[in-house]
Amino acid sequence: MILRRLALAAAMALAPIAAHAAEPTQAQKDQWAKENEERLHTDWAWLGKYQAANAALPARTKEPRVVFMGDSITQGWFDQVPEFFTVGRVGRGISGQTTPQMLLRFRQDVLDLHPAVVQIMAGTNDIASNTGPMTIEQTEANFRSMTELAQAHGVRVIIASIPPSSHFPWRPGLAVTEKIETINAWLKQYAAETGSTYADYWTALQDGQGGFRSAWTLDGVHPNKDGYAVMIPIARKAIAQALARPAPKPIAIAARP
């Protein structure tokens, strides 16, 4: 029963991106819930989603490679504005995902792609308890782990703010605005402490009361194309700032036998 509730929550988090042009039917919702429940048992972090795409990437590109690791907001960016993901920019977002799921696939979907920079955008689904209840401290710990892994491999880090929201459609009644602001304050401080770059999407997108500006969102959580148009200059500036920093010194790691 618990797994089914988690699968349903993940399916509802997925719905606005998978069908942003129309309200999903009950049959679609049921199918997504079924697929997500099966995945919770067989591929919890959905490692299979990008395995073929990762294998098809060229080993090197002319432009420094930047991987965008995230949840539905990152996946929606690629889905709605694919032209932003030119050669060198790689989208690795998965709708509904929480930071523990991203941490589990971080090696495959980030480190093994040998990027110069990774942007980590996460936290919305932690607050929503998509994979079970989480504390703010647990979310922060997962950001720490992903940042430490990246820097240990010589990868510069962009830590993205959680975008604003006053409510999550798939979790009605949940108080979210204060939690988002609390985590974002910590993310900004942690970025400064670790020599990472902070990408402040929250300030640009919020409506003055901590919610998402209505003209720029599909549902109060996910950006529409106009929302992504606001985010793109912030992303470009963050990438330029990150690349201007010296790459972290990799930690010597024993080769696999």
Side-chain angles (χ1 to χ4, degrees), residues 77-78 80-87 89 225 232 236:
W77 200 337
F78 181 84
Q80 294 187 62
V81 196
E83 60 271 20
F84 175 72
F85 291 85
T86 57
V87 174
R89 294 179 189 160
K225 285 189 176 182
I232 284 172
R236 287 178 173 153

Side-chain angles (χ1 to χ4, degrees), residues 6-21:
L6 295 177
L8 183 59
M12 294 304 98
L14 173 67
I17 297 305
H20 59 268

Side-chain angles (χ1 to χ4, degrees), residues 169-193:
W170 67 102
R171 287 295 307 275
L174 182 67
V176 302
T177 304
E178 185 176 344
K179 289 182 179 179
I180 290 173
E181 293 179 6
T182 297
I183 295 173
N184 281 343
W186 181 87
L187 291 174
K188 183 176 182 179
Q189 178 182 339
Y190 180 67
E193 291 173 354

